Amino acid sequence: MLLWACIAWVLAATCVAMLPMRRQYVPGVALLIAAPVLILWIGFAVAWWAGLLALAAFVSMFRNPLRYFWAKARGQNPQLPPELRS
């Protein structure tokens, strides 16, 4: 089950990456929320080091949204890219 969940997440992330930037926001946030669940699942089911590798891949892939949310959490007002402004 873990393998199929991970494959589905990767395929969904690939499809979202092919969308125009304005349409990536909502499904990207859903993937961003689902990823920690999968990472913890990998860590418990496989090994802690596999979970760390998955976490490193996640941080690398979502570095810009994570920077944005980190700045928001610290009380700053980060600017969205022009493609995402409405």
Side-chain angles (χ1 to χ4, degrees):
M1 186 67 182
L2 173 61
L3 178 63
W4 289 112
C6 292
I7 289 171
W9 190 93
V10 168
L11 290 176
T14 303
C15 290
V16 168
M18 289 189 265
L19 293 173
M21 195 63 177
R22 285 182 295 148
R23 296 198 176 161
Q24 288 182 3
Y25 187 70
V26 173
V29 170
L31 289 169
L32 187 67
I33 292 169
V37 174
L38 281 175
I39 291 169
L40 287 173
W41 192 2
I42 290 168
F44 287 126
V46 179
W48 64 269
W49 55 268
L52 284 178
L53 287 174
L55 180 63
F58 170 73
V59 170
S60 172
M61 192 161 127
F62 284 96
R63 64 186 169 273
N64 289 330
L66 291 172
R67 282 183 198 150
Y68 175 82
F69 290 127
W70 178 254
K72 276 291 211 191
R74 292 187 347 218
Q76 298 174 345
N77 191 12
Q79 295 295 318
L80 287 174
E83 302 88 35
L84 295 177
R85 292 185 199 145
S86 43

